[in-house]
Amino acid sequence: MPMPEWLRLRRAEAVPADQAAQWTKCPKCGSMIYRPDLAANAWVCPNCSHHFRMHAFDRISMLVDSDFVEIGGELLPGDPLGWTDKVPYPQKLQRDREKSKLTEGVVCGFASIGGTPVALGVMDFNFRGGTMGTVVGERITQLFESARERHLPCIVFTASGGARMEEGMLALMQMAKTTLAVRRFHDDGGYYVSVLTDPTTGGVSASFAFQADVILAEARAAIGFAGRRVIEQTIRQKLPENFQTAEFLLEKGAIDMVVERSELKGKLMRLLDYGIGAQRPANGRAALLRAIGAPPESAESRA
Amino acid sequence: MPMPEWLRLRRAEAVPADQAAQWTKCPKCGSMIYRPDLAANAWVCPNCSHHFRMHAFDRISMLVDSDFVEIGGELLPGDPLGWTDKVPYPQKLQRDREKSKLTEGVVCGFASIGGTPVALGVMDFNFRGGTMGTVVGERITQLFESARERHLPCIVFTASGGARMEEGMLALMQMAKTTLAVRRFHDDGGYYVSVLTDPTTGGVSASFAFQADVILAEARAAIGFAGRRVIEQTIRQKLPENFQTAEFLLEKGAIDMVVERSELKGKLMRLLDYGIGAQRPANGRAALLRAIGAPPESAESRA
Amino acid sequence: MNAIVEREKGLIELEQRIAALKTHAAQQPVDMTAEIRALETKYAEIQREVFGTMTPWQRVNMARHPKRPLGSDYIAALDQFDELHGDRHFRDDRAIVGGFAKLRGRRVIAIAQDKGRDTKEKVLRNFGMPSPEGYRKVIRLVQLADHLGLPVVTFVDTSGADPGIGSEERAQAEAIAQSLYELADASVPIVATVIGEGGSGGALALALADRVLMLEHAVYSVASPEGAAAILWGDAGRAEEAATRLKLTSDDLLQFGIVDEVIPEPLGGAHRDPVGVVASVLAAVDNALSALTVVAPEELRDRRYRKFRRIGAPAT
Amino acid sequence: MNAIVEREKGLIELEQRIAALKTHAAQQPVDMTAEIRALETKYAEIQREVFGTMTPWQRVNMARHPKRPLGSDYIAALDQFDELHGDRHFRDDRAIVGGFAKLRGRRVIAIAQDKGRDTKEKVLRNFGMPSPEGYRKVIRLVQLADHLGLPVVTFVDTSGADPGIGSEERAQAEAIAQSLYELADASVPIVATVIGEGGSGGALALALADRVLMLEHAVYSVASPEGAAAILWGDAGRAEEAATRLKLTSDDLLQFGIVDEVIPEPLGGAHRDPVGVVASVLAAVDNALSALTVVAPEELRDRRYRKFRRIGAPAT
Ligand SMILES: [Zn+2]
Ligand SMILES: [Zn+2]
């Protein structure tokens, strides 16, 4: 599958100074892997199939046919609280921008997957631990609003430590804002698939991650509301190994399926295909209004 | 509260031949109770407040202001399967008719409760163990259809051993039939309160009993899907004392509240009052169609 | 021991003798055509005698035959299937299998009760007896189907809903009631097929449908024959008698208007030709869907209402 | 020890001295008016000094004050309340109390988080930390309110959603997400009041509302100060510092447009006049409802959308 040059460039890693930096140790099986091999294998350990966390643009390259038009990329975080802890918040943002080559914790846009046009959002743990601040919330909201306008299915990959503390309550409110956008998208007949990747917790898991029509999780991803450490401190005992894993959640009925990364694109193509039957979304209020020829909701309401 | 003569007559018990028959033993505390006292106390043991099972017309007398117009009373059971076990089914029906002074296992009609007009259904365990055959299903269905047409709230008291075996699959199908009627009533903005009384199990608990907007249960009533004996045989051990009681279900979150019989009418009056705000039932499909002035569903569909 | 399996023994013996004879004939220069034909004639005679007209109790045993195609066999025969798990709240109940599917090229949501074939699978699937989470999975999938405009196809095969402590604790009655409630409102076509045992409310919870199909030797009953016998005579041993009384065969139910169509099985039952039977069921479902998908949603719901409204209503 | 309780000690001592003096004066023929007045002046001075301007950390402690009116105090002050229990599937979570109510004659669905007053009640109510079943009860009640056209009134007071094993097993994240999802779609007015601690997503799950009110000394925060301090500096002891950074006071939130109205508390906090505070909260809620109930459902939902849509959107 051809990948446009610019997409690859977005993630072109700096050439490491020494040869050793070309090698990475798998955190699961401990084997040393040559980084170009790892990248070629979609960041899956060839030895134990451990799924490394992926850069948003690597993920996009892996998924989309060849096109990707970013939206909301111009939105950049401010410092609404004038936050500082060890270092000022703007400085942290600057550091993360450099480290991750991203402008914020989510990349949103339009693309095709297996020929089907979709609205696609991909979170990235490399940027402030994938936390949701105002920009992540705004980009996700715009994604669902655009998907609604264009009648596109929406796919969101989540990876998040929760709401971003440095933006305080403005960050928490993004849970409400994104929820309203997802709900309106859904009520209008929209089809939404979320893919929970390692890790998906806190305010993101408790909003749009768990509001999809179909919820996938990448194999062995950590997923939950409270962090593992918080729970262990609360109950004062060690948690079982598989607790809060994708496989655990599948058994507990919380998610639809667990997918190995190598099968992800194929699975998404099939899931998108089922949604093509979605010509007659009957239970959504807006869709019903539309179906019976009633006047549409005010455009103003999309403000 | 004055009770019309005819209503009292429907339940006038034959004068027992001997004085002893005037006394009843409480199955819970064992105390001997003078039957007229028991009747005067709404069939609640004055000693331990055990709730005796009530005759449908006693229940109606206790609840309604003074009026009660029965509907569906003309519907009488046939013998669709030509059923016979120890005795032929028609003979069982005849026996139950005499014993219970009822024509079937549910009495339905219109009444006022605390001044609010309602559609009211009351099941009676005295008739074939409150089992649901075609007539019970038909009466309940007509009740919800009438309530829908007249925009009345609907209250149903359940007491049932489940679907009536002697009418085979025709009985089981009443679960589907009543469900469709309840759902249409609800979608059209109807307000439905069910009161689960001792015992409510099987096909009745698994259909309209648990489809109400608000679900009450009489104190200490046995409520469940499978019968206690079936479960004990399956798991080969004795069940805890409170298993499948109203109080157990409350703790398990299955019902809204447990009510002592003495407080029942007052509670229903309050619950009915809250429903008076129900002017704008917005999420029901039919109500929505109506609200926006779309043509109503075909009258034919009420067949 | 299953009564049908019992009756099959003589036939299997005969089958083996015919096979042996054929092998022998192929290896020897003697003409055994006549002997083979005689045995084959006898075989066909016995088969007709044993399976030609079956009593209700025999049908019950046929419906429970250990080799009968199970829910997952129908799922496996779909063009494509992507399983969706769980009720989103508590557990993934494996007694019910459901997900996106393609049936003869048509996108659907397929849901099947599955009893499990071997011991391990039976335990995993709780012998096909769904817990509340199973019915809540059904509700969720029907809502998804409704949202996407996909028809719902169900395969019914259960001795009944799970009667365990946990299921009661988590409101089994509510789960079934709400499953019915959800099917009642769906604006997409629903086709249910009773493929084996249609056990009471636990089966109906997947069968409030626009078209109800039934395999010839499946049964669909208000109560299990054993349970009915226990209640009626305090003797589960009189199940055979109860089976007759309950009118649980496909002929009975077609006559009552409870079942819309009966799908024939080969002589000897579905397990004599599982691939063929599964294919003919899927063809019948596809056929039913073709007629339903052209109906407008409101009309579909109205027809569904009228369909069940008629059952047990006074003649007019 | 609660920092406010600590600071109140001197005042309580002074109160007792004034009371003793007054008793003494009433029994003795000596005029102690001057002494009493002097003490009362001093008391007022100290009170102003202590409570006149409070730091964010002091507000946190005020919000957690053991005598502060709890959710159930607001419920008890309604004209009428009929509690509705349970999520219909698993359990009745007592950390959330909800039901039909009349608020100044108006029929509503009222929902409150309640921490419990004494030890026994605290355990019963899990210290006000809801489990998934609590949020699922909220969903159910909001659906009921929507069906009957009743406004929804919530009282928010929780340190956060329960972080236990069971809650994770039963999908706490899904429960909160779906509670938000339900509130987003309700076509009836929703008024939320933060009365004590508004702890993160576990609080917001009851506060996606048309009007968000807040008591003066309540706090509403993206994370608890202790939790934030632990993450930021690996030292929960620096909670006071974190409290300042988090901008969790009613003034801050009013300024951010996250809270629509701040309800004043008496000097010294809500617990100095619980009856008065509860009454003024209910009056404010009633007021907000009056403005909302005249709005058409679709318009109400649109306004709700726009209200939250603005937060953190780029300036235009
Ligand atoms: Zn590895
Ligand atoms: Zn007694």
Side-chain angles (χ1 to χ4, degrees), chain B residues 75 80-81 83-86 92 134-135 138 141-142 145 163-166 168-177 179-184 186-187 202 205-208 210-211 223-226 230-231 234-235 237 239-240 243-244 248 252 254 285 289 297-298 300-303, chain C residues 146 161-166 168-174 176-178 180-187 198-202 204 208 220-223 227-229 231-234 241-242 245-248 253 256 258 297-299 301-302 304-306 308-314:
Chain B
L75 299 164
L81 269 56
W83 181 278
T84 186
D85 44 77
K86 284 176 196 148
K92 291 196 206 178
T134 53
V135 170
E138 181 65 24
T141 300
Q142 289 189 6
E145 286 176 337
R164 188 174 300 167
M165 212 179 297
E166 295 91 339
M169 282 296 285
L170 292 165
L172 192 77
M173 288 301 123
Q174 303 308 309
M175 290 173 69
K177 189 167 94 179
T179 294
L180 284 154
V182 175
R183 182 77 203 225
R184 181 167 280 194
H186 177 89
D187 282 357
S205 71
S207 58
F208 57 86
F210 272 104
Q211 289 165 350
I223 301 158
F225 177 63
V230 175
I231 302 171
T234 306
I235 63 167
Q237 64 188 68
L239 291 163
F243 188 69
Q244 290 188 326
F248 176 85
K252 297 295 180 190
R285 179 184 309 267
L289 288 167
E297 296 177 60
S298 65
E300 193 192 351
S301 64
R302 291 181 204 160
Chain C
D146 202 349
D162 175 64
I165 290 187
E168 289 291 324
E169 284 179 340
R170 299 191 302 277
Q172 183 70 282
E174 193 267 358
I176 294 171
Q178 290 301 317
L180 291 167
Y181 203 63
E182 198 59 44
L183 291 169
D185 197 51
S187 58
S200 188
L204 177 62
L208 195 167
Y220 193 4
S221 178
V222 67
I231 292 169
L232 295 169
W233 303 289
E241 200 178 335
R245 307 277 157 95
L246 286 165
K247 306 278 194 221
L248 44 64
L253 297 173
F256 285 134
I258 288 171
E298 288 304 318
E299 170 65 14
R301 291 148 49 100
D302 276 0
R304 192 182 305 146
Y305 193 92
R306 291 198 299 270
F308 288 92
R309 184 70 190 80
R310 276 193 300 268
I311 303 175

Side-chain angles (χ1 to χ4, degrees), chain A residues 44 48-51 59 62 217-220 247 257-267:
Chain A
V44 173
C48 74
S49 90
H50 168 71
H51 288 38
R59 177 78 74 183
M62 182 190 102
E218 267 200 329
R220 295 170 294 286
E247 293 70 19
M257 51 176 91
V258 173
V259 186
E260 295 283 333
R261 190 174 292 163
S262 58
E263 293 165 5
L264 194 53
K265 179 165 182 173
K267 193 53 108 173

